[in-house]
Amino acid sequence: MYEEKNESGGQLLNIHRKEIFGFAALMIVFGHSQDFVHSVFPDSLVSVIGYGGIGVTMFAFLSGIGLWHSLDNNDDILNFYKKRIKRVIIPYFFIAIPFCLFLDIYVKKDAMLFIQEVTCVGYWINGRGAWYVAWLIPVYAAYPLHGRIAHNRNWLSAVLAIVEIIMIALIGIPIRFQSVAAATLAFLIGDFLAKFIKANSVWAIRGAASLILFAPVYFFGILRTQTMYVISFACIGISLCAILAVVLDHSIKSMKRMLAEVGAVSLESYLFNIYIISVSRIILKNQIGSFVGVLTYVCVAIIGIALSLYVGKLEKRV
């Protein structure tokens, strides 16, 4: 059954926040299948699957909006950190430690690798581990200071976004940090727009949706520079959030309920997915790109989402 239309402005992004998180989480799970299907599916389809990574910039954009609203509702910094520890740090350790014990201690017999990966330091050193969490932790740690300065001066986030783009254009960044740069840009734009979204500005959601115009730059490789890659990757994620918010406002309840359930455990689904993939690589070895690999990834995706939903229920009881 279809629901009646709620709002027409920026508040749609808050109203359908969980559903958008859920859609983004499913995009990421879909995108992570690329290595398992590249030898089985046509190259064009494999390329489309790779676009699932845009879900991470959707996460980052919504996080920028969410953190602004969190401090706007309650500027108690201690309470801010308690919520982030409960929502990010505890689930991360709960999921990461068992998998890293198996992957780094049991399989590779490398205690230092275990420490680096669990603490997220490994990503900044050699690109290993959950990069999104490695990015998210320092962002959450620094945000209260940024929020105190920029909360009522949201233009500062726009200035920081422009500075980031200029710095990438001038000095460049290692390839493995491109996703981090895109996530940071999306986050800053989310933080900038949050004030207008609270005011239910129709231009906030229209402006975000219009960023889909950057899609040809990314999909067709126009202006093949690192700077344009980062900008277009971030802008597509932002525009998808805005477009989905409008679409979801006219969608059936059952679909929204399903997406909201996944969205409530979006971080957990991401973590289970990447770690189960790592385990399956060890098990499959040379079969990862075969039809067996495709069937395995279907199981990986289903098991990961099922486990994340189960852990989400456990978290509610704590």
Side-chain angles (χ1 to χ4, degrees), residues 60-61 64-65 135 143 146 154 156-164 181-194 238:
F61 174 66
I65 297 170
W135 170 81
Y143 188 79
H146 169 79
N154 58 326
L156 285 174
S157 293
V159 170
L160 287 175
I162 294 169
V163 169
E164 179 193 352
T184 303
L185 184 59
F187 177 87
L188 289 170
I189 294 173
D191 190 58
F192 167 71
L193 289 177
I238 293 168

Side-chain angles (χ1 to χ4, degrees), residues 230-287:
V230 170
I231 293 173
S232 59
F233 200 72
C235 287
I236 294 169
I238 293 168
S239 64
L240 283 178
C241 287
I243 293 167
L244 275 170
V246 176
V247 172
L248 285 164
D249 207 45
H250 299 82
S251 298
I252 57 176
K253 289 183 179 180
S254 58
M255 179 186 294
K256 289 194 282 190
R257 192 181 303 115
M258 180 200 72
L259 289 174
E261 287 180 3
V262 177
V265 291
S266 55
L267 177 65
E268 291 86 347
S269 68
Y270 161 77
L271 291 170
F272 273 121
N273 185 252
I274 61 172
Y275 287 124
I276 296 175
I277 285 174
S278 296
V279 172
S280 65
R281 288 179 188 277
I282 294 171
I283 296 171
L284 288 177
K285 296 181 180 178
N286 296 329
Q287 292 183 303

Side-chain angles (χ1 to χ4, degrees), residues 70-80 148:
S70 181
L71 281 186
D72 188 62
N73 294 329
N74 185 350
D75 62 357
D76 184 341
I77 294 179
L78 183 59
N79 181 67
F80 176 90
R148 285 290 176 90

Side-chain angles (χ1 to χ4, degrees), residues 49-275:
I49 289 171
Y51 299 147
I54 292 171
V56 180
T57 58
M58 296 170 71
F59 277 6
F61 174 66
L62 294 174
S63 295
I65 297 170
L67 292 195
W68 187 94
H69 282 288
S70 181
L71 281 186
D72 188 62
N73 294 329
N74 185 350
D75 62 357
D76 184 341
I77 294 179
L78 183 59
N79 181 67
F80 176 90
Y81 283 129
K82 283 181 178 178
K83 285 184 176 180
R84 266 74 236 172
I85 290 172
K86 183 178 179 181
R87 181 65 195 97
V88 177
I89 304 300
I90 293 175
Y92 169 67
F93 283 140
F94 180 79
I95 296 170
I97 289 175
F99 279 102
C100 290
L101 280 171
F102 173 76
L103 294 166
D104 300 328
I105 302 296
Y106 179 76
V107 176
K108 297 185 178 179
K109 296 176 173 54
D110 191 332
M112 183 56 67
L113 193 62
F114 170 79
I115 293 170
Q116 289 178 352
E117 190 158 344
V118 168
T119 59
C120 293
V121 172
Y123 172 72
W124 303 107
I125 296 174
N126 52 33
R128 286 182 55 86
W131 79 260
Y132 181 69
V133 178
W135 170 81
L136 198 63
I137 290 173
V139 168
Y140 277 8
Y143 188 79
L145 175 61
H146 169 79
R148 285 290 176 90
I149 298 170
H151 188 72
N152 293 315
R153 305 178 184 87
N154 58 326
W155 53 269
L156 285 174
S157 293
V159 170
L160 287 175
I162 294 169
V163 169
E164 179 193 352
I165 292 169
I166 293 172
M167 293 299 291
I168 293 171
L170 291 177
I171 63 177
I173 53 174
I175 292 175
R176 75 171 184 268
F177 293 149
Q178 287 182 165
S179 295
V180 168
T184 303
L185 184 59
F187 177 87
L188 289 170
I189 294 173
D191 190 58
F192 167 71
L193 289 177
K195 186 175 181 179
F196 301 108
I197 289 168
K198 180 185 178 182
N200 201 30
S201 168
V202 70
W203 292 107
I205 199 161
R206 287 179 182 175
S210 69
L211 294 178
I212 197 66
L213 295 173
F214 277 91
V217 176
Y218 178 76
F219 293 137
F220 302 115
I222 302 170
L223 300 175
R224 292 177 180 272
T225 66
Q226 189 175 63
T227 307
M228 288 309 300
Y229 171 86
V230 170
I231 293 173
S232 59
F233 200 72
C235 287
I236 294 169
I238 293 168
S239 64
L240 283 178
C241 287
I243 293 167
L244 275 170
V246 176
V247 172
L248 285 164
D249 207 45
H250 299 82
S251 298
I252 57 176
K253 289 183 179 180
S254 58
M255 179 186 294
K256 289 194 282 190
R257 192 181 303 115
M258 180 200 72
L259 289 174
E261 287 180 3
V262 177
V265 291
S266 55
L267 177 65
E268 291 86 347
S269 68
Y270 161 77
L271 291 170
F272 273 121
N273 185 252
I274 61 172
Y275 287 124

